[in-house]
Amino acid sequence: MRGRRVVGASVLLRRPARPAFEPDDLLVADQPATHNALGIGKAVLYGREAHIAEELQRTMPPEGLPQPTGVRLASRGGDPAVDRQGGLVRHRCAGKGG
């Protein structure tokens, strides 16, 4: 469960001829179930964070670029500041980072 919401289930079965599960068996089975539940929770959280980040990037574009003397700036598809004297191109790549 994540909060009060079920996001998965584990089913443990044994053939009728086998003895019932011992408490140690259940402890061992609980470990991967807990690990999977944490992974699902992290995936859900990452999805929410990614959606929020995308919405912020989409709805909050920069108002404009500074216009320093001797430099020509462009953004989002504009011509990069390149001439025969040299140039600088900065490219922003959306992603997780590292």
XYZ file of all heavy atoms in Angstrom:
729
model
N 0.841 -1.187 0.000
C 0.000 0.000 0.000
C 0.874 1.233 0.000
O 1.920 1.274 0.599
C -0.892 0.031 1.237
C -2.026 -0.960 1.189
S -3.138 -0.789 2.586
C -4.015 0.679 2.128
N 0.422 2.217 -0.694
C 1.090 3.511 -0.721
C 0.088 4.497 -0.147
O -0.881 4.840 -0.793
C 1.450 3.862 -2.161
C 2.340 5.051 -2.240
C 2.762 5.249 -3.695
N 3.298 6.563 -3.783
C 2.558 7.652 -3.960
N 1.268 7.555 -4.111
N 3.109 8.833 -3.994
N 0.319 4.916 1.084
C -0.699 5.703 1.759
C -1.863 4.774 2.047
O -1.723 3.799 2.755
N -2.992 5.013 1.439
C -4.154 4.130 1.572
C -4.521 3.504 0.232
O -5.592 2.948 0.083
C -5.334 4.906 2.127
C -5.111 5.392 3.527
C -6.348 6.116 4.017
N -6.104 6.645 5.333
C -6.513 6.062 6.441
N -7.152 4.927 6.391
N -6.263 6.610 7.604
N -3.638 3.594 -0.722
C -3.920 3.101 -2.072
C -3.102 1.845 -2.352
O -1.890 1.833 -2.189
C -3.542 4.203 -3.070
C -3.800 3.863 -4.481
C -3.515 5.069 -5.348
N -3.374 4.612 -6.709
C -2.524 5.066 -7.579
N -1.719 6.038 -7.239
N -2.464 4.588 -8.776
N -3.755 0.781 -2.781
C -3.050 -0.452 -3.122
C -2.451 -0.289 -4.511
O -3.143 0.068 -5.464
C -4.009 -1.655 -3.093
C -3.300 -2.916 -3.550
C -4.591 -1.837 -1.694
N -1.135 -0.551 -4.623
C -0.463 -0.441 -5.918
C 0.098 -1.775 -6.379
O 0.693 -1.863 -7.440
C 0.674 0.614 -5.881
C 0.106 2.004 -5.690
C 1.691 0.279 -4.826
N -0.094 -2.814 -5.606
C 0.396 -4.130 -5.995
C 0.004 -5.166 -4.956
O -0.528 -4.845 -3.903
N 0.267 -6.422 -5.273
C -0.045 -7.511 -4.347
C 0.949 -8.641 -4.556
O 1.444 -8.840 -5.657
C -1.463 -8.009 -4.580
N 1.229 -9.366 -3.490
C 2.059 -10.566 -3.567
C 1.192 -11.757 -3.180
O 0.455 -11.702 -2.194
C 3.239 -10.484 -2.597
O 4.113 -9.459 -2.986
N 1.291 -12.806 -3.952
C 0.542 -14.022 -3.661
C 1.546 -15.150 -3.480
O 2.357 -15.411 -4.371
C -0.447 -14.358 -4.803
C -1.185 -15.640 -4.501
C -1.417 -13.204 -5.017
N 1.498 -15.810 -2.338
C 2.392 -16.924 -2.041
C 1.561 -18.204 -1.995
O 0.595 -18.296 -1.242
C 3.093 -16.696 -0.708
C 3.846 -15.364 -0.577
C 4.369 -15.197 0.832
C 4.967 -15.278 -1.590
N 1.946 -19.176 -2.793
C 1.195 -20.433 -2.884
C 2.108 -21.611 -2.594
O 3.292 -21.582 -2.918
C 0.597 -20.590 -4.286
C -0.303 -19.454 -4.779
C -0.636 -19.666 -6.242
C -1.560 -19.390 -3.950
N 1.539 -22.647 -2.028
C 2.237 -23.917 -1.826
C 1.290 -25.035 -2.197
O 0.083 -24.937 -2.000
C 2.654 -24.078 -0.364
C 3.917 -23.340 -0.024
C 4.755 -24.185 0.914
N 6.102 -23.659 0.954
C 6.848 -23.656 2.030
N 6.394 -24.168 3.150
N 8.053 -23.179 1.981
N 1.843 -26.101 -2.687
C 1.024 -27.280 -2.982
C 0.488 -27.862 -1.670
O 1.137 -27.750 -0.621
C 1.853 -28.322 -3.716
C 2.267 -27.838 -5.075
C 3.075 -28.880 -5.770
N 3.516 -28.335 -7.039
C 3.966 -29.051 -8.020
N 4.061 -30.364 -7.902
N 4.336 -28.492 -9.143
N -0.678 -28.499 -1.736
C -1.266 -29.039 -0.500
C -0.350 -30.015 0.237
O -0.386 -30.100 1.470
C -2.537 -29.744 -0.987
C -2.870 -29.084 -2.277
C -1.558 -28.671 -2.883
N 0.490 -30.740 -0.467
C 1.358 -31.726 0.178
C 2.513 -31.075 0.939
O 3.155 -31.716 1.766
C 1.913 -32.697 -0.864
N 2.790 -29.816 0.676
C 3.910 -29.113 1.329
C 3.455 -28.543 2.668
O 2.297 -28.171 2.835
C 4.398 -27.966 0.435
C 4.868 -28.340 -0.956
C 6.282 -28.857 -0.981
N 7.171 -28.023 -0.197
C 8.315 -27.543 -0.610
N 8.745 -27.823 -1.810
N 9.073 -26.813 0.176
N 4.376 -28.386 3.613
C 4.000 -27.795 4.907
C 3.700 -26.301 4.743
O 4.106 -25.666 3.764
C 5.236 -28.016 5.778
C 6.368 -28.211 4.826
C 5.778 -28.818 3.586
N 2.991 -25.764 5.692
C 2.641 -24.337 5.662
C 3.910 -23.490 5.748
O 4.959 -23.952 6.190
C 1.709 -24.018 6.826
N 3.790 -22.249 5.327
C 4.923 -21.327 5.420
C 5.291 -21.105 6.885
O 4.428 -20.941 7.745
C 4.588 -19.976 4.780
C 4.522 -20.009 3.289
C 3.309 -19.897 2.631
C 5.672 -20.147 2.528
C 3.248 -19.917 1.249
C 5.622 -20.173 1.150
C 4.404 -20.063 0.511
N 6.576 -21.046 7.118
C 7.102 -20.721 8.447
C 7.242 -19.200 8.548
O 7.310 -18.506 7.528
C 8.480 -21.374 8.637
C 8.465 -22.884 8.583
C 7.825 -23.500 9.809
O 7.932 -22.893 10.896
O 7.209 -24.567 9.666
N 7.316 -18.661 9.762
C 7.512 -17.210 9.903
C 8.758 -16.699 9.160
O 8.724 -15.615 8.577
C 7.634 -17.007 11.414
C 6.846 -18.125 11.996
C 7.072 -19.297 11.061
N 9.842 -17.483 9.155
C 11.048 -17.058 8.426
C 10.802 -16.979 6.921
O 11.350 -16.108 6.243
C 12.209 -18.013 8.699
C 12.767 -17.861 10.115
O 12.465 -16.833 10.758
O 13.502 -18.764 10.561
N 9.984 -17.886 6.383
C 9.643 -17.845 4.954
C 8.930 -16.536 4.611
O 9.193 -15.909 3.579
C 8.730 -19.017 4.573
C 9.385 -20.374 4.755
O 10.621 -20.469 4.553
O 8.665 -21.328 5.076
N 8.034 -16.125 5.486
C 7.279 -14.895 5.243
C 8.164 -13.663 5.350
O 7.977 -12.688 4.615
C 6.090 -14.813 6.198
C 5.076 -15.965 6.056
C 3.983 -15.849 7.105
C 4.489 -15.989 4.655
N 9.142 -13.697 6.253
C 10.078 -12.574 6.356
C 10.889 -12.430 5.069
O 11.100 -11.320 4.567
C 11.029 -12.763 7.544
C 10.436 -12.535 8.922
C 11.447 -12.907 10.004
C 10.000 -11.095 9.075
N 11.342 -13.561 4.521
C 12.109 -13.530 3.274
C 11.231 -13.048 2.124
O 11.655 -12.250 1.292
C 12.711 -14.925 2.968
C 13.306 -14.966 1.578
C 13.753 -15.289 4.015
N 9.991 -13.488 2.071
C 9.078 -13.068 0.996
C 8.722 -11.590 1.112
O 8.433 -10.934 0.109
C 7.811 -13.912 1.042
N 8.751 -11.070 2.328
C 8.402 -9.661 2.539
C 9.455 -8.717 1.954
O 9.120 -7.608 1.529
C 8.235 -9.401 4.039
C 7.694 -8.022 4.320
O 6.646 -7.675 3.731
O 8.318 -7.292 5.118
N 10.694 -9.132 1.918
C 11.766 -8.251 1.432
C 11.585 -7.826 -0.025
O 11.617 -6.635 -0.327
C 13.118 -8.902 1.666
C 13.473 -8.965 3.135
C 14.776 -9.701 3.401
O 15.360 -10.307 2.506
N 15.239 -9.632 4.632
N 11.399 -8.752 -0.987
C 11.192 -8.283 -2.367
C 9.885 -7.505 -2.534
O 9.812 -6.580 -3.343
C 11.202 -9.549 -3.211
C 11.157 -10.696 -2.290
C 11.522 -10.202 -0.927
N 8.862 -7.863 -1.767
C 7.605 -7.118 -1.862
C 7.807 -5.671 -1.420
O 7.317 -4.729 -2.073
C 6.533 -7.796 -1.014
N 8.538 -5.481 -0.326
C 8.830 -4.123 0.148
C 9.681 -3.375 -0.866
O 9.417 -2.194 -1.165
C 9.551 -4.181 1.511
O 8.700 -4.837 2.441
C 9.894 -2.796 2.013
N 10.688 -4.043 -1.412
C 11.558 -3.423 -2.418
C 10.751 -2.985 -3.643
O 10.926 -1.872 -4.145
C 12.643 -4.426 -2.825
C 13.617 -3.892 -3.801
N 14.635 -3.030 -3.456
C 13.734 -4.092 -5.139
C 15.325 -2.725 -4.531
N 14.798 -3.352 -5.560
N 9.863 -3.845 -4.110
C 9.028 -3.497 -5.271
C 8.093 -2.338 -4.962
O 7.892 -1.444 -5.795
C 8.225 -4.716 -5.728
C 9.104 -5.772 -6.349
O 10.196 -5.486 -6.817
N 8.636 -7.005 -6.336
N 7.512 -2.333 -3.764
C 6.606 -1.245 -3.391
C 7.348 0.089 -3.358
O 6.828 1.110 -3.829
C 5.968 -1.534 -2.038
N 8.569 0.088 -2.833
C 9.358 1.322 -2.810
C 9.695 1.778 -4.225
O 9.657 2.974 -4.534
C 10.637 1.118 -1.998
C 10.450 0.948 -0.498
C 11.771 0.557 0.158
C 9.896 2.208 0.124
N 10.020 0.829 -5.104
C 10.315 1.179 -6.492
C 9.116 1.786 -7.200
O 9.237 2.767 -7.930
N 7.946 1.212 -6.968
C 6.720 1.759 -7.579
C 6.454 3.158 -7.040
O 6.120 4.079 -7.793
C 5.524 0.824 -7.310
C 5.695 -0.473 -8.098
C 4.209 1.506 -7.664
C 4.725 -1.568 -7.702
N 6.626 3.336 -5.734
C 6.413 4.658 -5.140
C 7.359 5.696 -5.717
O 6.959 6.823 -6.021
N 8.628 5.325 -5.904
C 9.595 6.250 -6.488
C 9.255 6.573 -7.936
O 9.417 7.713 -8.383
C 11.004 5.674 -6.393
C 11.554 5.689 -4.994
C 12.957 5.109 -4.943
C 13.499 5.108 -3.530
N 14.857 4.567 -3.458
N 8.785 5.576 -8.681
C 8.413 5.809 -10.085
C 7.233 6.779 -10.174
O 7.214 7.668 -11.027
C 8.075 4.490 -10.772
N 6.264 6.612 -9.299
C 5.105 7.520 -9.279
C 5.560 8.935 -8.931
O 5.161 9.912 -9.580
C 4.034 7.014 -8.287
C 2.958 8.063 -8.056
C 3.418 5.720 -8.786
N 6.412 9.056 -7.927
C 6.915 10.372 -7.521
C 7.712 11.022 -8.650
O 7.532 12.205 -8.942
C 7.776 10.241 -6.270
C 8.376 11.528 -5.720
C 7.274 12.505 -5.330
C 9.268 11.219 -4.528
N 8.582 10.246 -9.313
C 9.361 10.790 -10.421
C 8.444 11.262 -11.543
O 8.672 12.321 -12.136
C 10.345 9.751 -10.966
C 11.076 10.245 -12.176
C 12.124 11.146 -12.055
C 10.696 9.846 -13.452
C 12.786 11.633 -13.162
C 11.354 10.327 -14.574
C 12.393 11.214 -14.419
O 13.034 11.695 -15.523
N 7.402 10.494 -11.838
C 6.451 10.909 -12.876
C 5.790 12.235 -12.549
O 5.644 13.101 -13.407
N 5.410 12.404 -11.293
C 4.798 13.677 -10.873
C 5.790 14.832 -10.994
O 5.458 15.913 -11.484
C 4.304 13.578 -9.440
C 3.071 12.754 -9.284
C 2.595 12.779 -7.855
N 1.486 11.855 -7.682
C 1.173 11.288 -6.547
N 1.859 11.571 -5.462
N 0.158 10.467 -6.465
N 7.020 14.596 -10.524
C 8.036 15.650 -10.585
C 8.357 16.013 -12.027
O 8.526 17.189 -12.355
C 9.299 15.207 -9.855
C 9.140 15.165 -8.350
C 10.376 14.623 -7.653
O 11.305 14.145 -8.328
O 10.396 14.691 -6.409
N 8.450 15.022 -12.897
C 8.738 15.290 -14.311
C 7.608 16.099 -14.941
O 7.859 17.034 -15.701
C 8.954 13.979 -15.067
N 6.372 15.758 -14.600
C 5.225 16.503 -15.141
C 5.253 17.953 -14.657
O 5.038 18.883 -15.452
C 3.918 15.830 -14.716
C 2.700 16.594 -15.098
N 2.267 16.672 -16.402
C 1.830 17.329 -14.363
C 1.178 17.427 -16.442
N 0.905 17.839 -15.224
N 5.534 18.158 -13.389
C 5.602 19.516 -12.845
C 6.719 20.308 -13.522
O 6.532 21.466 -13.919
C 5.799 19.479 -11.316
C 4.531 18.962 -10.647
C 6.181 20.854 -10.776
C 4.697 18.638 -9.172
N 7.894 19.686 -13.694
C 9.014 20.372 -14.341
C 8.679 20.746 -15.778
O 8.981 21.855 -16.230
C 10.267 19.491 -14.300
N 8.033 19.846 -16.512
C 7.649 20.145 -17.894
C 6.661 21.300 -17.963
O 6.767 22.172 -18.823
C 7.057 18.901 -18.554
C 8.083 17.826 -18.842
C 7.459 16.511 -19.270
O 6.206 16.428 -19.347
O 8.218 15.565 -19.521
N 5.689 21.290 -17.049
C 4.704 22.378 -17.028
C 5.364 23.712 -16.702
O 5.047 24.735 -17.313
C 3.592 22.075 -16.020
C 2.623 21.021 -16.489
C 1.864 21.446 -17.738
O 1.333 22.575 -17.778
O 1.828 20.650 -18.689
N 6.287 23.719 -15.742
C 6.980 24.962 -15.406
C 7.808 25.461 -16.588
O 7.814 26.663 -16.884
C 7.878 24.759 -14.181
C 7.154 24.630 -12.852
C 8.134 24.250 -11.756
C 6.428 25.919 -12.502
N 8.509 24.557 -17.268
C 9.308 24.969 -18.430
C 8.418 25.506 -19.540
O 8.773 26.441 -20.237
C 10.131 23.791 -18.945
C 11.279 23.440 -18.045
C 12.055 22.230 -18.545
O 11.737 21.658 -19.577
N 13.078 21.856 -17.802
N 7.245 24.907 -19.691
C 6.340 25.332 -20.768
C 5.669 26.663 -20.458
O 5.496 27.504 -21.333
C 5.269 24.258 -20.981
C 4.393 24.487 -22.194
C 3.369 23.386 -22.360
N 2.455 23.265 -21.235
C 1.435 24.085 -20.991
N 1.203 25.095 -21.788
N 0.654 23.895 -19.957
N 5.303 26.885 -19.200
C 4.525 28.075 -18.848
C 5.359 29.246 -18.364
O 4.826 30.334 -18.193
C 3.479 27.739 -17.770
O 4.148 27.263 -16.604
C 2.497 26.702 -18.267
N 6.660 29.026 -18.128
C 7.490 30.110 -17.597
C 8.700 30.369 -18.493
O 9.838 30.305 -18.042
C 7.950 29.771 -16.180
C 6.817 29.633 -15.196
S 7.365 29.139 -13.551
C 8.318 30.555 -13.070
N 8.481 30.667 -19.769
C 9.639 30.958 -20.619
C 10.290 32.270 -20.180
O 9.643 33.103 -19.539
C 9.030 31.087 -22.020
C 7.630 31.507 -21.777
C 7.228 30.848 -20.477
N 11.554 32.452 -20.500
C 12.205 33.706 -20.119
C 11.530 34.884 -20.819
O 11.062 34.773 -21.948
C 13.651 33.526 -20.588
C 13.610 32.421 -21.579
C 12.437 31.564 -21.236
N 11.498 36.026 -20.136
C 10.857 37.215 -20.708
C 11.685 37.810 -21.835
O 11.169 38.479 -22.710
C 10.625 38.247 -19.613
C 9.606 37.791 -18.589
C 9.395 38.823 -17.506
O 9.792 39.987 -17.691
O 8.815 38.462 -16.478
N 12.948 37.594 -21.809
C 13.818 38.129 -22.851
C 15.264 37.890 -22.479
O 15.577 37.482 -21.365
N 16.129 38.108 -23.428
C 17.552 37.926 -23.193
C 18.210 39.270 -22.927
O 17.792 40.289 -23.470
C 18.203 37.288 -24.425
C 17.757 35.874 -24.760
C 18.354 35.451 -26.091
C 18.191 34.922 -23.675
N 19.240 39.286 -22.107
C 19.991 40.533 -21.941
C 20.673 40.884 -23.260
O 20.914 40.018 -24.089
C 21.011 40.189 -20.850
C 21.116 38.705 -20.858
C 19.802 38.179 -21.341
N 20.970 42.147 -23.466
C 21.614 42.594 -24.695
C 22.953 43.252 -24.370
O 23.105 44.475 -24.460
C 20.700 43.589 -25.443
C 19.363 42.997 -25.863
C 19.525 41.829 -26.824
O 20.402 41.822 -27.685
N 18.674 40.829 -26.663
N 23.961 42.440 -23.988
C 25.266 43.029 -23.678
C 25.938 43.582 -24.925
O 25.716 43.092 -26.035
C 26.056 41.856 -23.090
C 25.377 40.636 -23.606
C 23.944 40.996 -23.833
N 26.765 44.588 -24.745
C 27.466 45.225 -25.858
C 28.438 44.238 -26.505
O 29.187 43.546 -25.833
C 28.252 46.448 -25.351
O 27.338 47.324 -24.698
C 28.937 47.177 -26.498
N 28.398 44.157 -27.816
C 29.331 43.330 -28.561
C 28.955 41.864 -28.654
O 29.704 41.068 -29.208
N 27.802 41.489 -28.128
C 27.368 40.092 -28.190
C 25.947 40.055 -28.725
O 25.098 40.843 -28.330
C 27.409 39.439 -26.790
C 26.903 38.007 -26.843
C 28.804 39.490 -26.204
N 25.702 39.130 -29.637
C 24.355 38.954 -30.171
C 23.813 37.642 -29.611
O 24.426 36.594 -29.780
C 24.405 38.896 -31.698
C 23.042 38.877 -32.335
C 23.133 38.937 -33.818
N 23.999 37.848 -34.292
C 24.281 37.616 -35.553
N 23.800 38.404 -36.479
N 25.060 36.612 -35.910
N 22.689 37.684 -28.940
C 22.107 36.516 -28.310
C 20.810 36.130 -29.000
O 20.090 36.982 -29.502
C 21.822 36.783 -26.830
C 23.020 37.161 -25.960
C 22.541 37.497 -24.549
C 24.038 36.042 -25.931
N 20.514 34.847 -29.010
C 19.261 34.342 -29.555
C 18.835 33.148 -28.714
O 19.645 32.534 -28.025
C 19.437 33.930 -31.010
N 17.557 32.805 -28.783
C 17.082 31.648 -28.027
C 15.973 30.935 -28.783
O 15.321 31.515 -29.645
C 16.577 32.082 -26.652
O 15.400 32.848 -26.794
N 15.799 29.679 -28.455
C 14.709 28.854 -28.985
C 14.532 28.981 -30.488
O 13.563 29.532 -30.973
C 13.406 29.173 -28.296
C 13.462 28.935 -26.816
C 12.505 27.922 -26.421
N 12.676 27.687 -24.991
C 12.113 26.721 -24.353
N 11.335 25.919 -24.977
N 12.322 26.559 -23.079
N 15.519 28.502 -31.212
C 15.399 28.468 -32.659
C 15.961 29.678 -33.359
O 16.009 29.698 -34.574
N 16.376 30.702 -32.617
C 16.972 31.876 -33.246
C 18.377 31.562 -33.738
O 18.948 30.520 -33.442
N 18.961 32.467 -34.498
C 20.325 32.257 -34.989
C 21.305 32.390 -33.837
O 21.244 33.335 -33.069
C 20.677 33.295 -36.061
C 19.839 33.111 -37.302
O 19.470 31.963 -37.604
O 19.543 34.129 -37.954
N 22.231 31.442 -33.712
C 23.233 31.572 -32.648
C 24.171 32.731 -32.917
O 24.296 33.205 -34.040
C 23.970 30.236 -32.698
C 23.723 29.698 -34.052
C 22.400 30.250 -34.510
N 24.812 33.185 -31.853
C 25.726 34.324 -31.971
C 27.061 33.833 -32.533
O 27.971 33.496 -31.795
C 25.915 34.970 -30.607
N 27.157 33.782 -33.835
C 28.376 33.298 -34.494
C 28.733 34.268 -35.614
O 27.882 34.656 -36.404
C 28.175 31.885 -35.084
C 29.411 31.435 -35.838
C 27.834 30.893 -33.994
N 29.989 34.683 -35.674
C 30.468 35.477 -36.803
C 31.916 35.081 -37.066
O 32.441 34.156 -36.470
C 30.312 36.986 -36.538
C 31.091 37.441 -35.321
O 32.067 36.761 -34.945
O 30.735 38.477 -34.757
N 32.590 35.801 -37.951
C 33.967 35.434 -38.307
C 34.966 35.711 -37.187
O 36.071 35.235 -37.223
C 34.373 36.194 -39.578
C 33.608 35.694 -40.767
C 34.168 36.265 -42.041
N 33.449 35.685 -43.146
C 32.747 36.367 -44.014
N 32.672 37.672 -43.922
N 32.118 35.748 -44.986
N 34.588 36.504 -36.225
C 35.464 36.812 -35.106
C 35.453 35.713 -34.046
O 36.283 35.691 -33.174
C 35.034 38.141 -34.456
C 35.027 39.317 -35.397
C 36.432 39.584 -35.921
O 37.387 39.535 -35.166
N 36.543 39.860 -37.209
N 34.503 34.826 -34.103
C 34.363 33.780 -33.087
C 32.925 33.751 -32.618
O 32.102 34.553 -33.047
N 32.614 32.851 -31.774
C 31.229 32.778 -31.318
C 31.086 31.878 -30.115
O 32.014 31.169 -29.719
N 29.936 31.929 -29.566
C 29.609 31.125 -28.409
C 28.195 30.601 -28.610
O 27.287 31.370 -28.903
C 29.668 31.982 -27.134
C 29.134 31.341 -25.866
C 30.062 30.209 -25.431
C 29.014 32.376 -24.772
N 28.039 29.296 -28.461
C 26.714 28.698 -28.554
C 26.496 27.917 -27.266
O 27.313 27.096 -26.880
C 26.609 27.743 -29.767
C 25.253 27.055 -29.784
C 26.853 28.497 -31.055
N 25.401 28.206 -26.611
C 25.043 27.469 -25.405
C 23.728 26.778 -25.677
O 22.759 27.408 -26.072
C 24.896 28.405 -24.217
C 24.551 27.658 -22.949
C 24.484 28.618 -21.766
N 24.238 27.887 -20.558
C 23.029 27.569 -20.099
N 21.957 27.915 -20.774
N 22.902 26.916 -18.979
N 23.728 25.482 -25.466
C 22.523 24.697 -25.729
C 22.024 24.097 -24.421
O 22.774 23.472 -23.711
C 22.826 23.587 -26.738
C 21.665 22.682 -26.996
N 20.578 23.093 -27.694
C 21.451 21.402 -26.611
C 19.716 22.086 -27.752
N 20.230 21.061 -27.107
N 20.772 24.303 -24.114
C 20.175 23.722 -22.922
C 19.468 22.443 -23.317
O 18.696 22.406 -24.260
C 19.166 24.684 -22.299
C 18.550 24.110 -21.033
C 17.625 25.098 -20.417
N 16.216 25.001 -20.535
C 15.419 24.124 -21.118
N 15.886 23.147 -21.786
N 14.122 24.191 -21.051
N 19.741 21.386 -22.597
C 19.147 20.097 -22.889
C 18.368 19.648 -21.668
O 18.930 19.427 -20.608
C 20.247 19.090 -23.225
S 19.617 17.535 -23.813
N 17.041 19.536 -21.808
C 16.217 19.128 -20.679
C 16.464 17.668 -20.340
O 16.645 16.840 -21.219
C 14.738 19.351 -21.007
N 16.481 17.364 -19.078
C 16.683 15.990 -18.641
C 16.827 15.918 -17.142
O 16.591 16.881 -16.430
N 17.240 14.772 -16.667
C 17.378 14.553 -15.223
C 18.583 15.240 -14.637
O 18.601 15.609 -13.484
C 17.513 13.054 -14.948
C 16.217 12.316 -15.046
C 16.420 10.841 -14.803
C 16.999 10.571 -13.449
N 17.085 9.156 -13.135
N 19.631 15.397 -15.396
C 20.855 15.961 -14.835
C 21.679 14.882 -14.170
O 21.353 13.719 -14.198
N 22.740 15.278 -13.573
C 23.573 14.230 -12.984
C 24.490 14.701 -11.940
O 24.578 15.519 -11.228
